[in-house]
Amino acid sequence: MAIGAVAIDSNSGISIKSFREIRQAIAKAFMEVFGAGINLDPSAPDGMLVDLLAYMYTELAQAIQTVGANIDVSTATGAFLDMLASIAGLTRNEGESDESLRERIEQATFEGLATPNGMLTYLRENITASVSLKENCEDVETEGIPPHHFAIYVPSSFSTDMIDQTDKDWISILEDATRENSVESYIAQKIWNCKPAGIKGTGDSFGIARDAAGFLHKVCFQFIKGIAYKVKVSITQYDEEALPTDYAEKIQQLISDWASNEFTSGKDIIPQRMCVPIYSGITGVDAITVQVAQVYSENWSSSRIPVSDDTTVTIAAEDVSVTLEG
């Protein structure tokens, strides 16, 4: 008895019939089997059976439609959306809305959790945005990384204060008498959660991770030192737009926030790139000049500054000075 309550199409997806359409299909099938004279009035016994079957098919069709909707990031909600987030290496923040989590999933760079992009997405989401990664797929050591190893670089400024205290991995570490309650253990666990099977990390630091079967593993990574830089920004006003009265504070914060995402290990400083967050963040700015120097130094420069692989650049908002010219 083909009812066709659910239709699955590769282009349009899942569609279902209404209760009325399903009842009509069942009634037609009954008449084909028992003859056109069968009494299918809702008050008759056979009619009641048709109604019962129609309700069953309708509920089943609606359940299938709901499942289908919840394997699509754009329509999934609640626990279904949480499962899609976990596939992308993300977890819902405490109190986070479906809309916010959906946006983070759609923006994630994800090609499988154990790929470089997948690992970076997961680690930057769960540790800090300044985490960086390098891999050596060669049979010989390359850039200090052993053959067929990866290196995870974490800013040395990362501390327990920066860990979400409701994170399930951190709670597990706190309750685990066999592991030290340390930043190293937390980082190690996050790396273990997303690393490729059989491939090791390298670095001078390490922590202890626990696998799903309960076994402990030493996971190596590299803490990188952060070198603090200060910035001098000089702007002129664009008369056709309004410059905010708090332009200086806004520019300070814009550059600091931009730097926290821009500077991974070994990434050079190109001062003029700091114009990008300024132009995109506030109105009323015409020309911009930028100079940088290490904190406690007066060797200001507007040229590219090389940064070594074991170093990352940090820029605090209070280390950004802003001058309005003209």
Side-chain angles (χ1 to χ4, degrees), residues 229-277:
Y229 276 80
K230 56 187 177 180
V231 180
K232 285 197 299 188
V233 178
S234 176
I235 65 171
T236 59
Q237 185 171 356
Y238 178 41
D239 294 335
E240 296 182 11
E241 294 178 350
L243 184 69
T245 56
D246 59 346
Y247 66 88
E249 292 83 357
K250 287 184 181 296
I251 290 175
Q252 289 173 327
Q253 195 60 53
L254 284 167
I255 289 179
S256 179
D257 291 344
W258 174 84
S260 66
N261 292 309
E262 172 73 8
F263 293 116
T264 54
S265 63
K267 189 159 188 178
D268 295 348
I269 303 174
I270 302 176
Q272 286 306 116
R273 282 190 176 180
M274 298 181 196
C275 297
V276 173

Side-chain angles (χ1 to χ4, degrees), residues 37-64:
I38 186 173
N39 184 3
L40 298 181
D41 187 88
S43 61
D46 289 329
M48 292 180 184
L49 178 58
V50 169
D51 281 349
L52 178 61
L53 290 173
Y55 279 119
M56 291 172 59
Y57 272 99
T58 300
E59 289 183 351
L60 180 60
Q62 290 173 342
I64 293 173

Side-chain angles (χ1 to χ4, degrees), residues 16-304:
I16 66 173
K17 289 183 176 179
S18 66
F19 170 79
R20 181 180 178 182
E21 291 172 322
I22 292 173
R23 191 186 191 284
Q24 288 175 342
I26 295 174
K28 180 180 178 181
F30 265 58
M31 288 188 286
E32 289 174 351
V33 174
F34 301 109
I38 186 173
N39 184 3
L40 298 181
D41 187 88
S43 61
D46 289 329
M48 292 180 184
L49 178 58
V50 169
D51 281 349
L52 178 61
L53 290 173
Y55 279 119
M56 291 172 59
Y57 272 99
T58 300
E59 289 183 351
L60 180 60
Q62 290 173 342
I64 293 173
Q65 187 180 52
T66 298
V67 171
N70 280 289
I71 60 174
D72 184 344
V73 171
S74 64
T75 54
T77 59
F80 292 97
L81 189 61
D82 291 342
M83 287 187 285
L84 294 177
S86 68
I87 295 173
L90 307 177
T91 57
R92 186 190 295 268
N93 296 325
E94 185 176 7
E96 185 175 20
S97 66
D98 284 344
E99 181 180 359
S100 173
L101 179 56
R102 186 177 296 114
E103 182 178 352
R104 290 199 293 124
I105 295 172
E106 291 173 344
Q107 292 178 349
T109 303
F110 181 69
E111 302 170 352
L113 192 55
T115 64
N117 281 340
M119 290 179 67
L120 265 181
T121 295
Y122 179 84
L123 295 174
R124 286 176 175 175
E125 180 73 24
N126 287 276
I127 301 178
T128 173
S130 299
V131 168
S132 57
L133 175 152
K134 289 184 179 180
E135 62 174 341
N136 179 13
C137 300
E138 305 300 324
D139 295 329
V140 296
E141 181 175 311
T142 304
E143 296 184 16
I145 302 175
H148 306 290
H149 280 62
F150 62 84
I152 302 296
Y153 301 94
V154 181
S156 57
S157 58
F158 185 74
S159 65
T160 54
D161 294 337
M162 300 167 68
I163 298 174
D164 178 1
Q165 298 302 304
T166 65
D167 185 286
K168 62 181 181 180
D169 285 329
W170 182 239
I171 293 174
S172 176
I173 290 170
L174 294 176
E175 296 174 347
D176 191 342
T178 62
R179 285 192 288 176
E180 184 181 352
N181 303 337
S182 66
V183 166
E184 287 82 359
S185 292
Y186 179 79
I187 295 171
Q189 188 64 57
K190 292 304 182 184
I191 295 173
W192 180 266
N193 291 350
C194 65
K195 83 173 194 69
I199 307 299
K200 290 185 176 182
T202 186
D204 296 334
S205 300
F206 71 91
I208 304 299
R210 187 179 292 280
D211 66 21
F215 295 103
L216 298 176
H217 302 268
K218 178 180 177 180
V219 179
C220 296
F221 60 92
Q222 184 69 48
F223 275 126
I224 52 175
K225 60 184 178 181
I227 297 183
Y229 276 80
K230 56 187 177 180
V231 180
K232 285 197 299 188
V233 178
S234 176
I235 65 171
T236 59
Q237 185 171 356
Y238 178 41
D239 294 335
E240 296 182 11
E241 294 178 350
L243 184 69
T245 56
D246 59 346
Y247 66 88
E249 292 83 357
K250 287 184 181 296
I251 290 175
Q252 289 173 327
Q253 195 60 53
L254 284 167
I255 289 179
S256 179
D257 291 344
W258 174 84
S260 66
N261 292 309
E262 172 73 8
F263 293 116
T264 54
S265 63
K267 189 159 188 178
D268 295 348
I269 303 174
I270 302 176
Q272 286 306 116
R273 282 190 176 180
M274 298 181 196
C275 297
V276 173
I278 298 173
Y279 280 128
S280 61
I282 63 172
T283 60
V285 176
D286 189 357
I288 304 173
T289 58
V290 180
Q291 291 182 301
V292 298
Q294 285 192 33
V295 173
Y296 309 120
S297 168
E298 294 304 320
N299 295 323
W300 293 95
S301 175
S302 58
S303 302
R304 178 173 179 165

